[in-house]
Amino acid sequence: MAGSLDGSYDIGGQSDDSYLFEKLRVEPIYDAFRCPLTKQVMRDPVALENGRTFEREAIEKWFRECRESGRKPICPLTLSELRSMELNPSVGLRNTIEEWNARNEAAQLDMAHRSLSPGSQETESDILQALKFVQHLCQKKGSNKHVIRNAELTPMVVHMLNNSSRRVRCKALETLQIVVEEDFDIKEMMAEGDTVRTIVKFLSHEQSEEREEAVSLLYELSKSEKLCEKIGSINGAILILVGMASSKSENLVTVEKAYKTLDNLAKCENNVRQIAENGRLQPLLKLLLEGSPETKLSMAALLGELVLNNDVKVFVARTAGSSLINLMKTNNMPSRESSLKALNQISSDEESAKVLIEAGILVPLVNDLFTVGANQLPTRLKEVSAMILANVVNSGYDFHSVPVGPDHQTLVSEEIIHNLLHLISNTGPAIECKLLQVLVGLTSSPTTVSSVVSAIKSSGATISLVQFIEASQRDLRVASIKLLQNLSPHMGQELAGCLRGTSGQLGSLIQVISENVGITEEQAAAVRLLADLPERDAGLTRQMIDEGAFQLFISRVIRIQQGKTRGSRFMTPYLEGLVKVLARLTFALSEESGDVRALCSEHNLASLFIELLQSNGLDNVQMVSAMALENLSQESKNLTKLPEIPSPGFCGSVFPCLSKPPVIMGLCRVHQGTCSLKESFCLLEGQAVDKLVALLDHTNEKVVEASLAALSTLLDDGVNIEQGVQVLLESEGVKPILDVLLEKRTESLRRRAVWAVERLLRTDEIAFEVSGDQNASTALVDAFQYGDYRTRQIAEHALKHIDKIPNFSGIFSKMG
């Protein structure tokens, strides 16, 4: 620093210069000490041929400028021409200046010592000047640092970190940075006591200047391995540094210093752990990739213990996945163990799992599971391998394209699936659970489920898989139920056959579903398993009735509707499954014993399904409820109580023209008998028509189709169709039905809509109105031309109702 009282360092301006001149100088600056060119005290004085003395660097610059300007060299003071530019060292003057400097520095050192001493009454300005002097002394000559040590100034500067003045604290941090630079002895001395802890506290200060000085000082200290351990041992230090290194609000210099400090701290393995735990994995991964075999093993083990978010898992998989896979291929059991645990950690994210698959993890995983003999993994590590395999199969990857065996077998090849099933039957519960999860993952993908189903069928393992429903270990039971749920749409008849037996698995499923423990993943999977089994399997329905399943499930649905069941993320699939299982009763209404009808009547099942129509946002619940109501309504015409017509008597029988038919009040308009919602499942009595009509405007075509099918029972053969049409008119349901026809969403929905419209057009008023609607006519013509055979027939009848096709049968009958 330039511009000080001795011409060699900055004291902060003219006022400071005057202050120090009066305060610190013991001897005046003699004119002979100053260079005539720089006006500063000379360090390397040299003499010209005329005896004039200058600072070497200054006079050399003067001569250079003379040459460059084409002038002859002259003396800057006398301006007289010089014959020679030879410079003669003024050794005596230099020695005198050095002695003068030493005397002044000793006085200044003494003043600095007094200003920085604890309990000193010096002003802030005095302290700042003292700190600046310490900086100057260190920067002037490296060997001066022993003077600082001998004067015991370093602890005094450290003490200034607790000063009440922010300016003093910042200057103290800056001074310490200069004092410790390239001096490992002072750095190690700083490791003693609470000095480092005090410096770390500055990282959290609001003032950015203090944070910047503190992180710069920590960077300098972190160059010492002993200080690295000390910094890392301070609670929160590494966390704060990681935050600063990734901050977008700190200035770039601070961010860079924090980053470099962390790099230095990573020399200590314990710090690497902390840095990784706080979200910065680069040091760990660097050691994992470049370290010695022992270090790689240690880092892999550490990686397996960390809790990582999904983005970090992907980063680790891309950076170190191949290295970890290579470690698991070695014959060194500790290396295999640490790599497996690390891979288990990072494979649990879908994207990271895909990265590991592409890096070749499947072959060694499968080998680890199937290998027996000298190199086989112990059971506890086979469990980890199974966990990793369960993770990666849930990634949605196309496993048909990845060979895992010597003969190009894939993970879904029959041989591999058979081996997995064999392992499931011959290992302990922990591995069985993970291997079942592997099959759960493979059967969850539409691209692989058919291959797995085929292999399970060919292996004859269905009964064995069903038996796991009764496992005492909850995780094992959940995995088996989830697998069976995935299989049920593809091999429902086989599963239903196994459950119909007397082994108790059906009862176990019902017990799981009915447990009053909130709603768990296990319950949701169990009820959906039952829901996907063939709904017309009368034997299974009968056994479920005997087990009391339906009464339990009805009470569970009612509790959910009343808000008495604690909600969870499994609420929706659980409720959907319950409703679908209850709906299977409506497929068995024709059972001769009448038990099913009695059960539906006893629990007023029709009313429950009508309420469920209003489960907005639960499309499957609404669809299944509408389907169940269709089945129930189909039975209404058989269950309605037809009135007994009294005998007309003698006169009435002889003279029928004289008798009037009796008027019977309270009969159902559509079913022509005495109806009720509870006993005959009548939609009119249950006021369900408006709710079903409202669903015709649903965005889900399956809900629309189920609702239209339920409404169509009011127009079916065996009921009063004319009155059914009137009911739909009163509920404003005719137009929505026509709209369904016009929208042409699916072929199945169009078929139902054409059928319903044809029934509606049997009413002349509706036929007249529709005949003038070009869009409706076009939709019917389209169905007539492009529908299936049955749809074309019905569309033809509909077109005849609106006179778009001649009714030749009527013409011929008139001609006859």
Side-chain angles (χ1 to χ4, degrees):
M1 297 182 183
S4 72
L5 74 107
D6 64 357
S8 61
Y9 70 100
D10 180 15
I11 58 172
Q14 184 58 39
S15 60
D16 287 339
D17 280 345
S18 301
Y19 172 80
L20 282 181
F21 183 85
E22 299 297 331
K23 188 88 175 176
L24 299 177
R25 196 173 66 217
V26 293
E27 294 183 32
I29 301 177
Y30 301 101
D31 288 341
F33 291 178
R34 293 185 188 275
C35 172
L37 288 174
T38 65
K39 311 303 181 187
Q40 303 294 320
V41 174
M42 291 181 287
R43 290 170 300 183
D44 186 10
V46 292
L48 303 181
E49 63 181 29
N50 62 3
R52 301 289 183 175
T53 305
F54 299 89
E55 178 68 57
R56 179 187 292 276
E57 187 178 344
I59 193 62
E60 286 177 345
K61 181 180 179 184
W62 171 268
F63 285 158
R64 190 165 56 251
E65 290 174 353
C66 286
R67 286 196 306 272
E68 290 173 355
S69 62
R71 292 184 287 117
K72 292 182 178 180
I74 60 174
C75 175
L77 288 179
T78 65
L79 302 181
S80 60
E81 185 176 335
L82 299 171
R83 294 190 305 273
S84 170
M85 291 187 291
E86 184 179 354
L87 304 176
N88 298 307
S90 298
V91 177
L93 178 59
R94 184 176 64 192
N95 291 339
T96 301
I97 292 173
E98 287 178 352
E99 291 171 0
W100 177 86
N101 269 329
R103 290 192 299 274
N104 276 291
E105 284 179 353
Q108 293 164 11
L109 183 64
D110 183 60
M111 286 299 300
H113 193 283
R114 287 199 296 271
S115 297
L116 297 175
S117 294
S120 169
Q121 299 300 314
E122 301 290 342
T123 65
E124 178 187 277
S125 178
D126 291 335
I127 297 172
L128 289 173
Q129 296 301 341
L131 291 170
K132 288 178 182 179
F133 172 72
V134 174
Q135 292 183 16
H136 156 71
L137 201 60
C138 292
Q139 290 172 325
K140 183 178 181 181
K141 196 185 333 180
S143 60
N144 282 345
K145 290 187 179 181
H146 82 276
V147 176
I148 301 295
R149 284 200 301 273
N150 293 340
E152 298 182 346
L153 281 176
T154 304
M156 296 180 183
V157 177
V158 170
H159 181 70
M160 289 299 113
L161 296 177
N162 297 314
N163 194 280
S164 59
S165 167
R166 182 180 61 82
R167 293 179 64 199
V168 169
R169 295 195 301 270
C170 284
K171 185 60 68 175
L173 288 167
E174 180 185 308
T175 304
L176 286 172
Q177 181 185 345
I178 295 168
V179 169
V180 303
E181 189 174 7
E182 304 300 331
D183 193 316
F184 285 92
D185 290 336
I186 296 182
K187 284 177 182 174
E188 296 206 356
M189 184 189 75
M190 295 274 287
E192 299 170 4
D194 284 338
T195 301
V196 178
R197 185 183 303 277
T198 301
I199 297 168
V200 168
K201 288 180 181 178
F202 282 98
L203 298 178
S204 301
H205 278 211
E206 293 182 4
Q207 294 294 331
S208 61
E209 187 179 355
E210 289 179 295
R211 292 200 305 274
E212 292 165 15
E213 294 295 350
V215 76
S216 295
L217 176 54
L218 284 174
Y219 168 59
E220 207 47 60
L221 294 175
S222 67
K223 294 177 182 178
S224 160
E225 189 168 334
K226 184 176 180 181
L227 265 296
C228 282
E229 294 180 5
K230 181 72 175 181
I231 295 169
S233 69
I234 295 171
N235 186 36
I238 287 178
L239 172 60
I240 298 171
L241 286 167
V242 169
M244 294 178 79
S246 57
S247 172
K248 298 188 185 303
S249 57
E250 298 282 358
N251 69 52
L252 293 178
V253 174
T254 302
V255 170
E256 183 182 4
K257 285 288 175 67
Y259 185 93
K260 289 181 176 179
T261 303
L262 288 169
D263 278 348
N264 288 341
L265 295 180
K267 297 170 188 172
C268 174
E269 193 168 303
N270 286 336
N271 290 342
V272 172
R273 174 185 295 272
Q274 280 197 70
I275 294 170
E277 287 173 346
N278 286 294
R280 192 171 188 84
L281 291 176
Q282 288 88 340
L284 183 154
L285 297 178
K286 183 178 180 181
L287 292 175
L288 179 61
L289 296 173
E290 302 173 5
S292 64
E294 294 78 13
T295 300
K296 288 182 178 182
L297 172 60
S298 176
M299 291 301 103
L302 172 56
L303 188 58
E305 297 171 8
L306 296 176
V307 177
L308 308 175
N309 65 44
N310 288 340
D311 289 340
V312 173
K313 289 175 185 177
V314 176
F315 171 73
V316 174
R318 288 175 177 159
T319 306
S322 295
S323 295
L324 289 169
I325 291 169
N326 288 334
L327 273 178
M328 70 178 284
K329 293 178 183 178
T330 66
N331 291 326
N332 182 285
M333 197 58 68
S335 294
R336 293 173 75 180
E337 178 172 359
S338 60
S339 62
L340 282 170
K341 289 180 177 178
L343 287 166
N344 181 45
Q345 171 69 261
I346 64 176
S347 65
S348 57
D349 172 69
E350 184 176 310
E351 287 304 312
S352 61
K354 290 179 180 178
V355 173
L356 293 176
I357 293 170
E358 291 168 0
I361 195 173
L362 287 180
V363 172
L365 271 183
V366 171
N367 287 340
D368 281 351
L369 286 171
F370 294 161
T371 298
V372 293
N375 290 325
Q376 73 175 359
L377 286 177
T379 302
R380 60 186 175 81
L381 294 186
K382 280 199 173 187
E383 180 185 345
V384 180
S385 294
M387 289 171 67
I388 299 171
L389 188 57
N391 287 339
V392 298
V393 297
N394 282 296
S395 65
Y397 204 86
D398 180 13
F399 293 102
H400 288 288
S401 62
V402 186
V404 297
D407 298 321
H408 303 287
Q409 300 101 321
T410 68
L411 203 55
V412 292
S413 296
E414 185 175 70
E415 179 184 349
I416 300 297
I417 298 297
H418 283 181
N419 287 339
L420 287 173
L421 292 169
H422 177 76
L423 273 178
I424 290 171
S425 300
N426 293 278
T427 54
I431 298 180
E432 288 172 343
C433 177
K434 302 308 174 187
L435 293 178
L436 285 172
Q437 289 176 3
V438 171
L439 294 179
V440 170
L442 292 174
T443 53
S444 297
S445 169
T447 61
T448 54
V449 61
S450 59
S451 299
V452 178
V453 168
S454 176
I456 289 174
K457 287 182 177 179
S458 65
S459 70
T462 307
I463 294 176
S464 299
L465 294 175
V466 170
Q467 289 173 347
F468 282 112
I469 291 174
E470 295 184 287
S472 58
Q473 297 85 359
R474 182 181 178 279
D475 289 346
L476 181 57
R477 195 171 63 242
V478 171
S480 69
I481 291 173
K482 289 172 70 175
L483 172 60
L484 296 173
Q485 177 209 329
N486 289 349
L487 296 174
S488 58
H490 308 277
M491 45 190 302
Q493 205 61 59
E494 294 92 330
L495 294 178
C498 293
L499 290 172
R500 280 199 305 268
T502 57
S503 300
Q505 285 90 11
L506 179 60
S508 296
L509 271 181
I510 295 169
Q511 183 179 351
V512 166
I513 296 167
S514 304
E515 286 178 351
N516 192 16
V517 290
I519 298 174
T520 65
E521 180 183 21
E522 181 184 15
Q523 289 180 304
V527 76
R528 292 185 71 183
L529 164 59
L530 284 184
D532 286 335
L533 295 176
E535 58 216 0
R536 297 183 185 276
D537 188 316
L540 183 60
T541 301
R542 166 50 55 188
Q543 190 163 341
M544 289 175 67
I545 292 174
D546 295 340
E547 297 270 2
F550 295 107
Q551 294 93 323
L552 292 171
F553 297 169
I554 290 169
S555 67
R556 292 293 281 173
V557 172
I558 292 173
R559 286 180 61 84
I560 291 173
Q561 287 183 303
Q562 294 174 343
K564 294 181 179 179
T565 298
R566 194 168 64 249
S568 76
R569 61 194 175 100
F570 304 110
M571 172 76 82
T572 296
Y574 181 69
L575 179 59
E576 288 176 348
L578 287 175
V579 174
K580 193 171 181 182
V581 172
L582 291 178
R584 73 181 295 124
L585 284 172
T586 68
F587 290 91
L589 291 169
S590 59
E591 187 190 48
E592 292 183 6
S593 69
D595 289 352
V596 175
R597 288 193 300 273
L599 186 62
C600 292
S601 177
E602 179 185 351
H603 294 279
N604 204 358
L605 206 57
S607 176
L608 180 61
F609 285 125
I610 291 171
E611 289 180 29
L612 290 168
L613 289 177
Q614 297 176 290
S615 303
N616 295 330
L618 301 176
D619 293 6
N620 288 336
V621 171
Q622 291 176 309
M623 176 189 70
V624 172
S625 298
M627 291 172 58
L629 288 171
E630 175 196 5
N631 295 338
L632 291 167
S633 184
Q634 288 281 12
E635 287 297 306
S636 294
K637 58 190 175 188
N638 302 322
L639 299 175
T640 188
K641 296 179 180 178
L642 298 176
E644 295 183 5
I645 307 298
S647 173
F650 176 76
C651 293
S653 60
V654 176
F655 305 104
C657 59
L658 298 178
S659 66
K660 294 182 179 180
V663 177
I664 303 175
M665 304 299 291
L667 298 183
C668 175
R669 297 160 57 187
V670 175
H671 301 116
Q672 309 267 294
T674 302
C675 281
S676 71
L677 177 62
K678 187 174 182 180
E679 300 294 337
S680 64
F681 319 129
C682 177
L683 297 182
L684 274 69
E685 291 295 323
Q687 300 178 343
V689 178
D690 288 345
K691 297 179 178 66
L692 289 166
V693 168
L695 291 177
L696 294 179
D697 192 38
H698 203 285
T699 55
N700 187 326
E701 61 268 10
K702 292 183 178 179
V703 175
V704 175
E705 184 174 351
S707 302
L708 180 56
L711 289 170
S712 295
T713 60
L714 303 178
L715 307 173
D716 209 351
D717 295 336
V719 304
N720 189 322
I721 297 175
E722 183 178 343
Q723 285 300 313
V725 172
Q726 288 303 314
V727 168
L728 290 174
L729 281 169
E730 292 166 9
S731 296
E732 299 182 353
V734 173
K735 185 179 183 305
I737 293 174
L738 291 169
D739 289 341
V740 172
L741 173 66
L742 296 176
E743 289 171 2
K744 295 182 290 188
R745 295 201 211 175
T746 65
E747 184 59 35
S748 175
L749 189 51
R750 177 168 73 169
R751 188 183 307 115
R752 285 201 177 274
V754 168
W755 185 93
V757 167
E758 190 277 329
R759 296 285 167 136
L760 293 173
L761 293 178
R762 295 182 186 184
T763 300
D764 292 340
E765 294 84 350
I766 297 176
F768 176 76
E769 185 175 343
V770 171
S771 65
D773 185 339
Q774 186 59 45
N775 290 330
S777 299
T778 300
L780 287 170
V781 169
D782 187 65
F784 175 64
Q785 292 177 332
Y786 302 110
D788 58 28
Y789 175 74
R790 180 59 180 154
T791 301
R792 291 201 304 272
Q793 280 188 318
I794 298 171
E796 179 181 359
H797 289 303
L799 288 168
K800 288 178 180 179
H801 293 320
I802 58 175
D803 296 329
K804 298 299 180 181
I805 293 180
N807 192 342
F808 292 110
S809 60
I811 296 172
F812 292 146
S813 63
K814 290 177 184 178
M815 290 177 63

